Amino acid sequence: MSDHVILTETVDRVGIIRLNRPKALNALNVEVITALVEAAETFQADPNIMAIVVTGNEKAFAAGADIKEMADKSFVEMHMADWSARWDRFTAIRLPIIAAVNGYALGGGCELAMMADIMVAGPKTQFGQPEINLGVIPGWGGSQRLTRAVGKAKAMDMVLTGRMMDGEEAERAGLVARLVEDDKVFDTAMEIAQTIAAKSRPVVMVAKEAVDAAFETTLSQGVLFERRTFHPLFALEDQKEGMDAFANKRKAQFKDC
Ligand code: HXC
């Protein structure tokens, strides 16, 4: 794994991926994306890891795809680069991914944050899809995920004008799950991850899958998916443990089975 453009670490049962190209405001080039996806897959393959936190630094979560790497590409080169295959691997990660977002989250950086399951940001965080200023449009899902998160009005405003939205507006609009002071963003993301880490791993995976299903299907199909995934949970020892712990007024000790 290329480990210098990202830094990885585990704390208890949480895998941390820190984007690490500070001089380029964490612009996402092929090397970064490859390392990021591999790191997430490596964490997922470790049964001890329960959640992943993706973060950048104080100035930038990520200021987008690497414009300098892209600038001279032809249509065929962009087409053959098959970005979606890389990002599909990232969005196929079944563990919860929490984005701790400070500074700029622009273009592909905003799109990466939106691929996460829970976003934590501060008032100074700046979200944007400024691709229109470069003569292109969002290319890693921004036009779709932003619209689903904040609705047509704000998505059109941002995608067509390229204006940025700060953390407070993003939280009001439904893009950000938790707005905290800028210097508390990472710690809050870790607290969320540690909270999830005390649950049952298979149940956490099913819960993520069930919420994601809401974006892929009709209400009746989604409710059916939920029911069909809810009932089998009664085959788990963790379900017996969770309900027994409640009845006996003790904290559940899940065994991930
Ligand atoms: C490559 C980038 C970069 C990017 C910043 N840098 N963003 N390099 N790709 N996306 C580099 C700068 O060139 C500069 O390098 C260094 O990082 C610091 O940036 P400055 O511009 O000097 O910083 P500042 O004046 O503070 O301005 C910050 C900024 C600005 C407002 C965030 O950097 C900016 O507008 N960046 C581009 C944002 C953007 O358009 N993102 C969308 C990209 S397209 P040097 O060497 O000069 O020090 C995209 C599409 C996704 O994401 C889908 C693709 C298929």
Side-chain angles (χ1 to χ4, degrees):
M1 186 198 306
S2 171
D3 210 42
H4 58 287
V5 291
I6 61 162
L7 302 172
T8 60
E9 188 188 348
T10 58
V11 173
D12 299 325
R13 300 192 73 186
V14 179
I16 302 165
I17 303 173
R18 189 178 290 277
L19 304 174
N20 189 39
R21 287 187 78 202
K23 287 187 187 147
L25 303 185
N26 288 333
L28 299 162
N29 60 12
V30 172
E31 195 186 358
V32 176
I33 298 164
T34 305
L36 171 73
V37 172
E38 282 176 8
E41 287 176 340
T42 302
F43 282 138
Q44 173 156 273
D46 180 346
N48 202 40
I49 299 294
M50 287 287 296
I52 298 170
V53 171
V54 179
T55 194
N57 57 49
E58 197 185 323
K59 173 136 196 213
F61 176 75
D66 191 314
I67 299 167
K68 294 164 193 169
E69 188 180 65
M70 265 187 311
D72 295 328
K73 296 264 191 262
S74 66
F75 157 68
V76 172
E77 284 169 320
M78 288 304 280
H79 186 65
M80 300 305 279
D82 203 5
W83 294 105
S84 62
R86 286 191 176 86
W87 290 121
D88 287 351
R89 279 168 60 193
F90 189 74
T91 56
I93 295 291
R94 298 176 73 197
L95 294 178
I97 300 176
I98 298 137
V101 190
N102 284 111
Y104 295 113
L106 303 178
C110 186
E111 291 170 306
L112 169 60
M114 291 191 291
M115 287 180 223
D117 303 301
I118 298 176
M119 235 196 264
V120 184
K124 291 200 189 116
T125 305
Q126 293 284 335
F127 295 96
Q129 297 290 162
E131 288 90 343
I132 198 88
N133 300 326
L134 301 168
V136 289
I137 67 168
W140 293 339
S143 63
Q144 305 305 299
R145 289 198 177 89
L146 185 66
T147 309
R148 280 167 166 77
V150 305
K152 176 177 168 179
K154 281 191 190 290
M156 281 290 190
D157 181 8
M158 290 175 72
V159 170
L160 293 177
T161 69
R163 85 158 170 97
M164 295 183 206
M165 185 191 265
D166 68 21
E168 284 179 5
E169 183 181 1
E171 195 265 345
R172 284 198 305 275
L175 186 63
V176 166
R178 297 205 202 174
L179 179 76
V180 296
E181 286 168 42
D182 293 285
D183 61 359
K184 300 275 188 328
V185 167
F186 180 73
D187 288 350
T188 304
M190 285 299 290
E191 277 168 27
I192 295 170
Q194 302 284 12
T195 301
I196 295 168
K199 320 287 184 206
S200 163
R201 197 173 197 255
V203 179
V204 161
M205 285 179 170
V206 173
K208 167 169 170 164
E209 224 171 354
V211 174
D212 276 340
F215 295 96
E216 303 288 349
T217 189
T218 62
L219 179 61
S220 58
Q221 286 296 313
V223 169
L224 181 62
F225 178 85
E226 181 190 81
R227 197 178 310 146
R228 293 287 174 260
T229 48
F230 176 82
H231 293 159
L233 298 177
F234 284 73
L236 295 180
E237 283 182 32
D238 283 344
Q239 172 270 325
K240 299 289 175 281
E241 166 63 11
M243 294 195 182
D244 184 74
F246 173 79
N248 289 296
K249 302 187 188 302
R250 62 178 177 81
K251 191 174 183 313
Q253 299 292 333
F254 294 116
K255 291 193 293 188
D256 299 342
C257 60

